[in-house]
């Protein structure tokens, strides 16, 4: 394993920012730290970078504990949310800054800067100043500056959050493509679920200073380990059953082995896993009489609010609306789609 973050803890007075955090990053891997504001993800990134010192634990890079190594000597590339470009330097000077302070030759710097500006799609912008280019272009420059020094690790601190939605989507794909091409191990902080799910090889889902789950995007979405992960990633129906799992007077069967829908449980099911059927008398397993409460058409999908007696379900279906508000329907919830937690 290339980077091993082992049992890292950090307190700020009485505030527990990180509580025994363990994360690993392999060579060429893109890992996202994902979680709500205040969960500790940026603190962890700053500890890895050397800008903040942890209270305990180790940060092993290629078999060596780098905690005693100053931030300036770790050889990491860092891209912040605010770009942090030098306003009095041209784009080319910004990109070549790290090479200049490392005493590279002028010819080497000139060639490397030209190569990187071509790589990030700004071959003709070297002579411009940061205020003369767009926010998305500034972030490309910040990324080029970070990788100019051939970093041992690339650290990204919410690098796309200050951009508008369209630019963010485009640059997200470009950053991921560039990272794959260069093979730089990367650790990125984000609070954007879609960003993490589409960019990362693996995702660290954090909450209140702890790691809730660490795995591939598919694992976190389809097999969440905790109720927090289940509800934080994507949309989720949470059904509470104080007196036993029954909908419209019919039992709800759980498909997980060794799990029972006992009184007091909460059942979790994704909206896209629920099926809408015609309002014929439901006779099959996990089929319940219901009615359409409301709907929202969002282009590629339609979101329905479906009422099943005292419960309200979110249901997602592909394409144009095929049901109307007030229409009676039958909903089917596949047993294998229902999750419960200890």
């Amino acid at each position: 394993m290339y980077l091993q973050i082992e049992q890292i803890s950090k307190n700020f007075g009485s505030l527990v920012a990180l509580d025994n955090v363990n994360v690993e990053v392999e060579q060429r891997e893109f890992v996202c730290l994902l979680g709500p504001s205040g969960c500790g993800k940026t603190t962890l990134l700053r500890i890895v970078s050397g800008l903040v010192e942890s209270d305990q634990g180790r940060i092993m890079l290629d078999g060596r504990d780098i905690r005693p190594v100053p931030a300036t000597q770790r050889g990491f590339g860092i891209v912040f949310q605010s770009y942090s470009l030098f306003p009095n330097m041209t784009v080319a000077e910004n990109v070549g800054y790290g090479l200049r302070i490392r005493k590279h030759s002028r010819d080497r710097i000139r060639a490397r800067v030209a190569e990187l500006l071509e790589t990030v799609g700004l071959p003709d912008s070297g002579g411009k100043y940061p205020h003369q280019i767009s926010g998305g272009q500034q972030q490309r420059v910040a990324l080029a500056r970070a990788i100019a020094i051939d970093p041992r690790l690339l650290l990204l601190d919410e690098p796309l959050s200050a951009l508008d939605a369209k630019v963010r989507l485009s640059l997200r794909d470009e950053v991921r493509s560039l990272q794959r091409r260069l093979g730089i191990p990367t650790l990125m902080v984000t609070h954007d679920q879609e960003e993490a799910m589409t960019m990362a090889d693996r995702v660290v889902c954090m909450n209140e200073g702890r790691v809730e789950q660490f795995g591939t995007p598919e694992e976190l979405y389809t097999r969440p380990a905790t109720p927090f992960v289940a509800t934080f990633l994507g949309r989720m129906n949470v059904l509470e059953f104080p007196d036993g799992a029954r909908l419209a007077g019919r039992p709800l069967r759980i498909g997980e082995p060794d799990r029972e829908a006992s009184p007091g449980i909460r059942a979790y099911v994704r909206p896209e896993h629920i099926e809408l059927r015609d309002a014929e008398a439901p006779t099959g397993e996990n089929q319940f009489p219901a009615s359409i409460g409301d709907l929202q058409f969002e282009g590629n999908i339609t979101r329905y609010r479906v009422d099943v007696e005292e419960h309200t379900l979110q249901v997602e279906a592909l394409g144009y609306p095929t049901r109307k508000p007030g229409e009676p329907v039958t909903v089917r919830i596949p047993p294998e789609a229902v999750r419960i937690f200890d």
Side-chain angles (χ1 to χ4, degrees):
M1 191 61 62
Y2 184 66
L3 174 69
Q4 293 174 286
I5 300 168
E6 300 177 350
Q7 299 180 330
I8 291 294
S9 294
K10 179 65 179 178
N11 296 337
F12 295 102
S14 60
L15 174 65
V16 179
L18 294 171
D19 182 11
N20 197 34
V21 170
N22 295 275
V23 175
E24 297 177 339
V25 181
E26 297 179 358
Q27 282 277 21
R28 307 180 68 88
E29 188 177 31
F30 196 120
V31 172
C32 275
L33 303 175
L34 173 68
S37 297
C39 73
K41 55 189 185 294
T42 294
T43 298
L44 181 59
L45 192 82
R46 292 174 68 84
I47 287 174
V48 173
S49 72
L51 298 175
V52 173
E53 185 176 346
S54 65
D55 295 335
Q56 69 174 44
R58 299 193 306 173
I59 302 172
M60 305 297 293
L61 185 71
D62 209 13
R64 177 192 176 195
D65 188 357
I66 62 170
R67 282 186 67 205
V69 180
T72 54
Q73 297 178 23
R74 296 191 182 188
F76 294 168
I78 307 177
V79 179
F80 296 102
Q81 175 182 343
S82 59
Y83 318 142
S84 300
L85 299 180
F86 300 113
N88 60 328
M89 292 184 185
T90 64
V91 165
E93 290 169 338
N94 267 281
V95 174
Y97 177 76
L99 299 173
R100 285 200 306 277
I101 64 175
R102 288 167 174 79
K103 308 299 184 182
H104 287 261
S105 69
R106 290 185 179 180
D107 288 344
R108 165 61 177 159
I109 294 173
R110 190 181 301 112
R112 180 65 168 155
V113 167
E115 173 192 353
L116 289 170
L117 289 180
E118 182 74 35
T119 298
V120 298
L122 298 172
D124 302 319
S125 298
K128 297 180 181 179
Y129 287 88
H131 71 274
Q132 296 176 311
I133 59 178
S134 68
Q137 291 172 327
Q138 289 183 46
Q139 196 61 298
R140 287 187 177 91
V141 174
L143 185 62
R145 183 178 63 183
I147 63 179
I149 61 171
D150 294 320
R152 304 166 72 192
L153 182 69
L154 183 60
L155 303 175
L156 308 176
D157 188 6
E158 303 209 42
L160 309 180
S161 61
L163 305 172
D164 65 59
K166 188 173 182 179
V167 174
R168 188 165 63 245
L169 287 174
S170 173
L171 195 53
R172 181 177 74 191
D173 295 338
E174 292 177 24
V175 170
R176 185 58 173 118
S177 176
L178 179 63
Q179 187 273 338
R180 281 178 174 157
R181 190 162 69 250
L182 299 178
I184 304 173
T186 299
L187 190 62
M188 185 177 87
V189 164
T190 183
H191 64 271
D192 188 305
Q193 302 168 29
E194 185 176 330
E195 210 167 81
M197 299 290 278
T198 55
M199 296 180 73
D201 295 308
R202 290 191 294 167
V203 176
V204 184
C205 188
M206 298 181 64
N207 183 39
E208 296 183 345
R210 296 184 298 274
V211 175
E212 294 271 341
Q213 189 172 355
F214 184 20
T216 66
E218 294 82 3
E219 287 171 345
L220 268 65
Y221 188 83
T222 60
R223 297 187 297 280
T226 68
F228 175 82
V229 177
T231 54
F232 185 74
L233 287 176
R235 295 172 181 264
M236 181 67 78
N237 290 293
V238 183
L239 303 173
E240 298 192 19
F241 300 108
D243 301 317
R246 300 182 70 83
L247 281 174
R250 297 169 59 87
L252 175 70
R253 193 173 77 80
I254 310 297
E256 295 184 69
D258 304 321
R259 298 291 182 97
E260 293 185 359
S262 55
I265 65 106
R266 289 180 178 177
Y268 297 75
V269 59
R270 297 283 184 195
E272 67 270 24
H273 293 157
I274 301 175
E275 303 171 16
L276 288 181
R277 298 182 173 184
D278 293 336
E280 56 196 23
T283 56
E285 182 179 63
N286 279 14
Q287 295 191 43
F288 310 98
S291 62
I292 302 296
D294 200 0
L295 62 87
Q296 293 179 334
F297 174 59
E298 298 186 8
N300 60 327
I301 64 171
T302 299
R303 302 188 192 277
Y304 295 94
R305 193 192 79 234
V306 180
D307 298 318
V308 186
E309 287 196 344
E310 72 277 15
H311 294 279
T312 298
L313 301 177
Q314 301 176 74
V315 180
E316 294 179 2
L318 292 175
Y320 293 95
T322 57
R323 310 287 179 177
K324 299 179 180 179
E327 179 180 346
V329 293
T330 293
V331 296
R332 178 181 180 270
I333 304 177
E336 64 274 13
V338 183
R339 291 193 61 85
I340 60 175
F341 298 94
D342 294 330

